[in-house]
């Protein structure tokens, strides 16, 4: 039982935390880059402005899009024999989307989330080179509507 709940294993993490792929406080972010395969989009926070691409937007619109980027939840854990680490992880899978959060605080790490095709139902999610979890492809596809959000502004 003790081994089953080691905090450094994905199983323990999956059971004990919010099942969000990542929670990155907007106050710690200077830039977010979203690559959907069809296009690359940028969100930036500057001292006096919230920017989507080069357009200044209302803070409410910026926060709504930022929240939508984090709205895909972990559905299940990858089988242990499929855990992957490193840059070559998922190299043979189609990259569906990536999101990179660049931070504005010294010592806060850059966070990169990559979503790879897994099967018809799931996408494998890799965070900073580690792949342990699966998310709903359908939910991810809704997130891909980020292109629509950028085109509105």
């Amino acid at each position: 039982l003790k081994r089953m709940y080691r905090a450094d294993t994905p199983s323990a993490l999956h059971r004990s935390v919010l099942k969000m792929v990542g929670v990155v406080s907007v106050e710690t972010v200077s830039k977010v880059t979203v690559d959907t395969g069809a296009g690359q989009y940028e969100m930036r926070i500057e001292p006096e402005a919230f920017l989507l691409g080069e357009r200044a937007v209302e803070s409410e619109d910026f926060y709504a899009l930022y929240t939508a980027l984090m709205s895909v939840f972990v559905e299940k854990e990858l089988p242990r024999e499929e855990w992957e680490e490193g840059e070559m992880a998922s190299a043979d899978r189609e990259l569906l989307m990536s999101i990179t959060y660049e931070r504005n605080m010294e010592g806060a790490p850059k966070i990169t989330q990559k979503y790879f095709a897994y099967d018809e139902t799931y996408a494998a999610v890799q965070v900073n080179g580690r792949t342990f979890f699966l998310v709903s492809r359908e939910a991810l596809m809704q997130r891909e509507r980020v292109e629509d959000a950028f085109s509105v502004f």
Side-chain angles (χ1 to χ4, degrees), residues 12-60:
L13 293 173
H14 188 252
R15 283 190 300 274
S16 64
V17 297
L18 287 174
K19 294 184 180 183
M20 297 177 82
V21 170
V23 178
V24 183
S25 172
V26 71
E27 286 83 23
T28 69
V29 171
S30 59
K31 180 170 81 169
V32 179
T33 305
V34 180
D35 189 337
T36 65
Q40 190 170 24
Y41 306 92
E42 190 174 277
M43 302 172 67
R44 290 190 324 274
I45 301 174
E46 300 203 346
E48 299 296 322
F50 293 90
L51 302 171
L52 296 181
E54 295 302 319
R55 286 190 166 144
V57 297
E58 296 295 322
S59 61
E60 296 81 20

Side-chain angles (χ1 to χ4, degrees), residues 54-105:
E54 295 302 319
R55 286 190 166 144
V57 297
E58 296 295 322
S59 61
E60 296 81 20
D61 295 325
F62 185 93
Y63 290 135
L65 180 55
Y66 188 86
T67 301
L69 290 175
M70 288 190 271
S71 65
V72 174
F73 295 91
V74 170
E75 294 283 326
K76 63 192 257 185
E77 186 177 338
L78 270 171
R80 188 174 194 58
E81 62 273 7
E82 294 185 42
W83 290 358
E84 300 173 339
E85 284 193 56
E87 285 303 311
M88 294 308 293
S90 301
D92 60 337
R93 300 178 196 254
E94 175 191 6
L95 179 63
L96 302 172
M97 176 185 279
S98 68
I99 303 172
T100 302
Y101 299 88
E102 294 186 35
R103 312 297 282 286
N104 61 13
M105 298 174 58

Side-chain angles (χ1 to χ4, degrees), residues 98-101 109-114 126-130:
S98 68
I99 303 172
T100 302
Y101 299 88
K110 177 166 74 171
I111 296 172
T112 301
Q113 299 171 347
K114 294 181 180 180
Q126 181 186 87
V127 179
N128 289 354
R130 300 181 87 187

Side-chain angles (χ1 to χ4, degrees), residues 1 10 13 63 68 76 108-109 122 134 139 146:
L1 186 65
L13 293 173
Y63 290 135
K76 63 192 257 185
Y122 296 107
L134 298 173
V146 70

